Amino acid sequence: MKQSTFSLARLLVLVSLAVVLALFYAIWTHSTDPGNLSIIFLTALLVAVFFSDARKMPALTPRKVFYSLAYILFLIKEIIKSNFDVARRVIQPVMPINPGIVPVKTKLKSPIGRMILANSITLTPGTLTVDVRGDHFYIHWIDVTDGDEQGATQAIVSGFEKYLEVIFG
Amino acid sequence: MEGYRVAGSLIALTGSLFLFLGALGVWRMPDVYNRMQTGTKSTTLGSILTLFGLGVYQPEWMGQMLILMLFIAVTNPISSHALARAAHHTGVPLTQKSVMDELEEDVPLPTERVLEETLSEGEEQ
């Protein structure tokens, strides 16, 4: 056995994965009985041990957990803000739209980090990731304020990237 | 009527207002991409708020509602991205109002060239 198999970091990742799985199951089934819950947790732990790949998992550090929570709050704030923005555009008699597809550049390297970035951009109304080619995302933007690559990157991506760089960096 | 019921109803009502604005946007917007902006994504907040309102109205459902909101947040962008990408690759044009389309100026993907060749072969026959 390799030494890394039993490291504390791996154990932490496994246990937190099992907790999340067990929580999902417990919420769906409304389980509150302690005996029931412990069986759910043991099963979840078994699933986590057999089906997780520790090499592909980012190591859990308090800093990353904190940034993940901050990222979720930031994303909710952005979604609410831009929903109001798009709603305002829809109800005006002459719709103030200025649409176009702009390229932006991402600094993120990890595939899952990029996926989360592209999905966050799409989830935020007003911007929609149309394609990904290499380092560049092509984004349909409902109000192009800056067609320049750097300006668009600054306006759309950098807010999300600040958090994702720490989480997946 | 208890306070939380009123609050839950109001939240769900706000959600349906966003859903209505999304539908209005689908009708008013000039092209596929802009319609997608409102049609698939103003509904993000709309459906999330409606589910959250249900959770407040019926507190024992809140756990399930939170999971449903998570599923919507995870799956919604994937479907809108796939639709937009397919539309652009099959050559659905942007509206005249559009300022720019950087993607068109770039080299087409191999699959696009294959599609073009297949189409031109079909014309020859």
Side-chain angles (χ1 to χ4, degrees):
Chain A
M1 282 268 171
K2 272 177 258 166
Q3 199 201 343
S4 63
T5 320
F6 286 117
S7 73
L8 195 65
R10 172 154 161 80
L11 194 69
L12 194 65
V13 166
L14 282 182
V15 170
S16 34
L17 182 61
V19 167
V20 171
L21 290 175
L23 204 65
F24 264 59
Y25 191 82
I27 288 173
W28 276 126
T29 54
H30 273 298
S31 309
T32 43
D33 175 49
N36 215 343
L37 282 180
S38 52
I39 290 175
I40 290 173
F41 179 73
L42 284 179
T43 318
L45 200 62
L46 219 61
V47 170
V49 168
F50 279 112
F51 293 99
S52 74
D53 190 344
R55 287 164 304 175
K56 285 182 184 166
M57 285 192 179
L60 273 180
T61 62
R63 189 170 144 83
K64 284 184 180 177
V65 174
F66 174 76
Y67 266 77
S68 307
L69 293 176
Y71 181 70
I72 292 170
L73 291 180
F74 176 76
L75 186 62
I76 291 173
K77 192 197 86 186
E78 284 295 306
I79 289 174
I80 292 174
K81 206 172 75 183
S82 48
N83 253 294
F84 274 102
D85 182 63
V86 172
R88 180 181 64 79
R89 286 174 204 281
V90 167
I91 54 177
Q92 288 187 24
V94 178
M95 285 183 294
I97 56 170
N98 191 22
I101 295 182
V102 295
V104 299
K105 198 173 186 311
T106 175
K107 283 179 279 181
L108 296 176
K109 290 279 172 283
S110 91
I112 188 132
R114 283 181 172 197
M115 186 199 77
I116 290 179
L117 176 64
N119 278 359
S120 304
I121 290 169
T122 309
L123 199 57
T124 318
T127 50
L128 169 67
T129 313
V130 179
D131 210 346
V132 178
R133 288 179 190 176
D135 268 350
H136 288 83
F137 290 1
Y138 291 85
I139 291 172
H140 183 267
W141 198 1
I142 203 165
D143 179 34
V144 178
T145 45
D146 197 342
D148 181 48
E149 185 185 306
Q150 264 147 18
T153 306
Q154 185 65 28
I156 299 174
V157 178
S158 56
F160 297 117
E161 227 170 34
K162 202 169 58 192
Y163 297 93
L164 290 174
E165 261 188 324
V166 178
I167 301 168
F168 296 102
Chain B
M1 207 158 144
E2 300 93 327
Y4 66 90
R5 298 256 146 137
V6 180
S9 308
L10 285 178
I11 294 171
L13 188 70
T14 319
S16 44
L17 187 72
F18 275 106
L19 287 172
F20 167 72
L21 287 173
L24 190 68
V26 171
W27 178 54
R28 293 199 65 196
M29 285 295 180
D31 70 351
V32 169
Y33 307 96
N34 288 301
R35 287 189 167 145
M36 213 166 281
Q37 297 276 14
T38 56
T40 61
K41 293 177 310 112
S42 282
T43 56
T44 321
L45 193 60
S47 34
I48 284 176
L49 278 180
T50 310
L51 291 174
F52 188 70
L54 261 174
V56 174
Y57 189 88
Q58 199 76 270
E60 65 265 33
W61 291 358
M62 192 48 121
Q64 275 108 324
M65 292 303 157
L66 286 174
I67 293 181
L68 283 179
M69 286 187 238
L70 184 70
F71 284 165
I72 286 180
V74 170
T75 54
N76 186 331
I78 296 174
S79 59
S80 22
H81 161 71
L83 284 169
R85 188 168 185 272
H88 201 279
H89 282 200
T90 47
V92 177
L94 274 75
T95 170
Q96 296 295 316
K97 283 185 190 170
S98 301
V99 260
M100 56 194 299
D101 183 3
E102 286 285 326
L103 188 52
E104 200 144 48
E105 286 154 23
D106 279 24
V107 194
L109 287 175
T111 48
E112 280 179 316
R113 284 200 291 274
V114 170
L115 185 70
E116 275 161 23
E117 280 160 19
T118 325
L119 286 177
S120 57
E121 273 169 26
E123 277 162 19
E124 280 161 21
Q125 280 164 7

